[in-house]
Amino acid sequence: MYRSHNCGELRTSQSNTEVTLSGWVQGVRDKGFMIYVDLRDRYGITQLYFDEERTEKALMEKASKLGREFVIQVKGTVIDRASKNPNIPTGEIEVLVSELNILNNSLVPPFTIEDKTDGGDDLRMKYRYLDIRRNPVKESLIFRAKVTQAVRNYLSNEDFIEVETPYLIKSTPEGARDFVVPSRMNEGEFYALPQSPQTFKQLLMVGGMDKYFQIVKCFRDEDLRADRQPEFTQIDCEMAFVEQEDILNTFEGLTRHLLKEVNGVEIEKFPRLLYDDAMRLYGNDKPDIRFGMEFGELNEVTQHKDFGVFNSAELVVGIAVPGGNSYTRKEIDKLIDWVKRPQVGALGMIYSRCNEDGSFKSSVDKFFDQDDLAKWAEVTGAKTGDLVVVLSGETNKVRAQLSALRMELAERLGLRDPKEFAPLWVIDFPLLELDEETGHYHAMHHPFTSPKPGQIELLDTRPGDVKANAYDLVLNGNEIGGGSIRIHDKATQATMLKHLGFSEEDAKAQFGFLMDAFEYGAPPHGGIAFGLDRLVAILGGQETIRDFIAFPKNNSGRDVMIDAPAPINDEQLQELHLKLDL
Amino acid sequence: MYRSHNCGELRTSQSNTEVTLSGWVQGVRDKGFMIYVDLRDRYGITQLYFDEERTEKALMEKASKLGREFVIQVKGTVIDRASKNPNIPTGEIEVLVSELNILNNSLVPPFTIEDKTDGGDDLRMKYRYLDIRRNPVKESLIFRAKVTQAVRNYLSNEDFIEVETPYLIKSTPEGARDFVVPSRMNEGEFYALPQSPQTFKQLLMVGGMDKYFQIVKCFRDEDLRADRQPEFTQIDCEMAFVEQEDILNTFEGLTRHLLKEVNGVEIEKFPRLLYDDAMRLYGNDKPDIRFGMEFGELNEVTQHKDFGVFNSAELVVGIAVPGGNSYTRKEIDKLIDWVKRPQVGALGMIYSRCNEDGSFKSSVDKFFDQDDLAKWAEVTGAKTGDLVVVLSGETNKVRAQLSALRMELAERLGLRDPKEFAPLWVIDFPLLELDEETGHYHAMHHPFTSPKPGQIELLDTRPGDVKANAYDLVLNGNEIGGGSIRIHDKATQATMLKHLGFSEEDAKAQFGFLMDAFEYGAPPHGGIAFGLDRLVAILGGQETIRDFIAFPKNNSGRDVMIDAPAPINDEQLQELHLKLDL
């Protein structure tokens, strides 16, 4: 038996008992006549103690030679510490060691195993197994496990059945790029790894499974942006005999449960916002509503003067920056530079100071008088001491720019408190989205999403106006879940695929099995999928997902620890009937 | 709202209440003046009732036109049935329908949606979504979810952390064949899908994660035998600071919990059998011990006479068939034919009847007298009325043959009761196994398994004799789990890989990251993995796994429902830097 206790559990109540501990040497403090060793395992740190008086000489010597991250086993007696350490749970005791076994040596680790390490990202990824010994990573992984178990228990109690769907499926060129898997037994053919279990969960609904969920890996071969992974985990859910309202209530329940269970936060009812309103008020379909700074559209109160920039703009829109009147001219200039960066892309920024005396001072005083500026303040909800900032231009672009500015300012103002949680449903998404490059419409959610009742007729005439039974769950400015009520009849699905540019032949080849299934008594159904990596990170109060993934890949899709991907040998290629084409 | 209740929950206590139900039309019995419709959903069947007196004419007509598997919604009143049906939980009530909405039509399904269907395997697989509506499949999938949830709850309560390991990893030509995934972003390189998360779980131990589990898909590109799937699910577990005894106790606890929770069976302590004893007593490393019929080795009591077949045999071994003396000569001849089939491969079978009067009658009476035959009976444990059957030949072959015969006879004798559970640990497996074709040894479990203490020296001289800290958990003649204590130091791992024929270079390229990790304070560790598909099937009292997998593949690795694998298009190939080589 390697241990009787772990390194986090001994207290004064165990004083004078014999214990066996195993773990890693966090550090050694050798004072000559006495030696302290911090022994660490998953559960905590316990101080080991050796002294000249009570410890055999050979043992003292052995202890003095211990290095960082050595794996050791000790036997000894729990004793009360002379000087207690109130910072750790085991700080009232130490273990006077009578026996020490070195279970394994360690080279000096390439970075310190401390909460704040000296290791950079690359080194930490290469030695991820050492990084995981650090509390922040270890705790994040344990936190993730706790969240997933809470999800499973909640949904199982609600009679959802976790069903495993296959990983070796079929490539569909729709949507993102698939990872494919050559089949040795079926020459020249390929499986694809699922981007989501979408069609399978719909088939489970046709199969009567009624309430399905699965926590499942999904795969997308996309050029990776920061904080995207080629493999990611989804909480995938589907229900039959439901309307949108049923889905929203069910998964609001799940999310409320998680916030309570995991974060101790109780939230009564999640607000709901129409997609159109979200875009109008926040310039964004996943607004962070932990703070206000709602958009005020200023066309009416700006386009009556001679200021050409505003007059030619499709949209003039501003926000009030709380306390922003305190910004110096230099600070404001920096802000203007910030919005002009290519990542944001604004051409400029107009502002108006809301002075303490009730007057206004704007960067366009030659065009606008105090009455005009008072209206700007009114529309944006600016108060005395605030700063109104205004962007103008093409509606879609200027909304995105002002949204970026709003988030940046909130960040700077400390309004994005990671311990505060503001969930929000965004509903009535458009069914289709115009691809500006190709001029074609594609499905905003996916091709199985149903249009709002009665709107399917609009597909021919005003496709961009058709709204869908589609909804997103937004938490603190992040989309944590999204879903829709699905199409469940063959004719509508065929119409939809036609509008998405599928030939009848392609539609049949790729989704024929689903449309066939719709002919055998498909029930009305809908669902939602949560991005688990992101959800866990946000619940954990973090913005980046990487520490919540045990073995993440870098931005080139590489696992630098195991050095994958890697070449395979010629026999493997031959067996798969493949040649490299470099 | 599509339903106020499901189709399994209404009882007489709800009589006279208004309800809304949705589901599938299981069947319609139209008596003209009254119509009965069985409405089915996941939860059960409720009888709908329409009659001339109380139902509007148009509604009667609509009901009469319902077809099998139509999806409908009805509103109506719960009433007590005139003639109750004690066979279903809702058999005391029916719903007098006042409103009927057809939610979707159905073509006539290609097979009946009944417990015993008229559909063959191929048809059921092609229309798996209809097959899942059938109780046996639906219940199997729900049972699977129940088992996995019980596993997760048990292990989580025992402080195990579920950690997700990556699916896109690196190919290692050791062991079975990998499925590979070409990387678009890393030209000419491939990921591999994991055959198991073996190295990652070991790295988690190095990372201090201490108690890990994961229910995870694994992949093997093998030529499929019946009841094997290219993707399968494992309960994958690992612990640090443990010896074999700790692992056996922990996972005996898990299995005991499952048997109790899921099957209501309490088993005190699982027996343990040395691998060598298992082979000697049952000719098999996964013996079914629900029944006796242990092997009796008969060399000593057979090789003193002139019977050349026995005298030249490495092993002469028999079993007692309970009550087998009742077999006719013809039946015994058939049994002899059975063991001579190429799948079994015996050259013949000798038998000896244990007559009621205490005498014996054997097929080799010219060589063996009554005293000899009495000894055969004694060694095999045969009683009056039994039949002793004896095979002889090369030890390994004859053991396998007699094991096959033992299982076949037990099956015929009804000794393999699926409701009886006989778990068993088989321990002290050999470290290496001789590949008779190549003459090389390979790892019996895997290359990370540690030899028994002190036996590593034998590797050079008697590699086949080295025993490992490796164990299997066997249930009713099936290996449901297997694992080992791992090597945790670089030198031993290097020695092991050398003995398995890896060059130093190959070892470094493939397992370098693991051996590097062993240099940074790797703790002693070990683990086990359970085959979930098989475990669930056995707990569910079945021998085949297919109905416990929602969307299984056929023996060519094809999903016939979605028709995968399939060709991919040229652009996809180009992006992946691949050409077909057919």
Side-chain angles (χ1 to χ4, degrees), chain B residues 202-333:
Chain B
Q202 292 192 240
L203 292 172
L204 285 171
M205 295 305 108
V206 178
M209 206 41 97
D210 192 286
K211 288 177 171 184
Y212 144 93
F213 84 103
Q214 187 183 190
I215 299 184
V216 61
K217 272 280 173 80
C218 301
F219 303 86
R220 265 178 219 173
D221 185 12
E222 283 176 335
D223 296 323
L224 299 174
R225 300 197 303 245
D227 222 27
R228 274 268 180 117
Q229 292 282 320
E231 51 179 303
F232 54 96
T233 307
Q234 231 170 250
I235 307 169
D236 193 53
C237 309
E238 196 82 2
M239 301 172 80
F241 301 115
V242 290
E243 290 156 346
Q244 175 167 306
E245 191 61 28
D246 301 304
I247 305 259
L248 299 192
N249 289 334
T250 301
F251 294 97
E252 185 165 320
L254 169 65
T255 312
R256 197 183 292 122
H257 173 77
L258 291 179
L259 285 167
K260 186 164 176 210
E261 190 84 345
V262 174
N263 298 91
V265 172
E266 296 211 36
I267 291 174
E268 202 45 50
K269 185 86 192 144
F270 296 3
R272 296 180 187 185
L273 201 56
L274 297 177
Y275 170 87
D276 286 347
D277 289 339
M279 296 308 289
R280 187 174 49 79
L281 292 172
Y282 303 99
N284 198 307
D285 61 3
K286 43 179 196 280
D288 190 340
I289 58 165
R290 279 175 294 183
F291 54 96
M293 297 172 76
E294 289 178 5
F295 287 15
E297 299 196 346
L298 300 168
N299 294 42
E300 277 184 32
V301 296
T302 56
Q303 293 183 332
H304 58 297
K305 292 292 171 70
D306 273 348
F307 188 50
V309 173
F310 283 176
N311 291 349
S312 66
E314 188 182 359
L315 179 67
V316 182
V317 59
I319 50 174
V321 185
N325 189 27
S326 66
Y327 290 7
T328 61
R329 178 62 208 251
K330 208 166 169 184
E331 284 172 322
I332 293 179
D333 282 346

Side-chain angles (χ1 to χ4, degrees), chain B residues 419-431:
Chain B
K419 302 259 180 257
E420 191 189 337
F421 295 96
L424 165 75
W425 287 108
V426 177
I427 60 173
D428 291 4
F429 270 75
L431 183 68

Side-chain angles (χ1 to χ4, degrees), chain A residues 523-574:
Chain A
H525 62 285
I528 193 167
F530 293 82
L532 179 68
D533 306 299
R534 173 82 42 210
L535 174 64
V536 168
I538 296 170
L539 293 178
Q542 308 274 331
E543 291 269 311
T544 74
I545 61 176
R546 210 177 265 194
D547 279 353
F548 294 85
I549 298 171
F551 300 101
K553 293 191 173 56
N554 73 11
N555 285 349
S556 319
R558 293 199 74 82
D559 182 326
V560 295
M561 179 185 70
I562 65 170
D563 195 24
I568 59 174
N569 64 37
D570 290 344
E571 296 96 273
Q572 279 179 293
L573 279 171
Q574 271 166 32

Side-chain angles (χ1 to χ4, degrees), chain A residues 130-188:
Chain A
L130 297 179
D131 202 28
I132 291 172
R133 287 189 198 156
R134 296 172 52 242
N135 281 322
V137 181
K138 180 191 76 185
E139 294 303 336
S140 295
L141 296 179
I142 293 174
F143 182 78
R144 180 187 181 109
K146 190 176 158 191
V147 173
T148 57
Q149 188 64 357
V151 170
R152 284 197 163 96
N153 285 335
Y154 184 87
L155 292 175
S156 298
N157 286 337
E158 295 281 318
D159 249 347
F160 281 77
I161 304 297
E162 186 161 23
V163 180
E164 294 178 54
T165 53
Y167 277 78
L168 297 173
I169 65 166
K170 188 154 97 169
S171 186
T172 55
E174 196 279 331
R177 220 182 268 107
D178 286 317
F179 281 105
V180 298
V181 181
S183 167
R184 181 180 54 88
M185 290 207 279
N186 301 273
E187 278 190 39

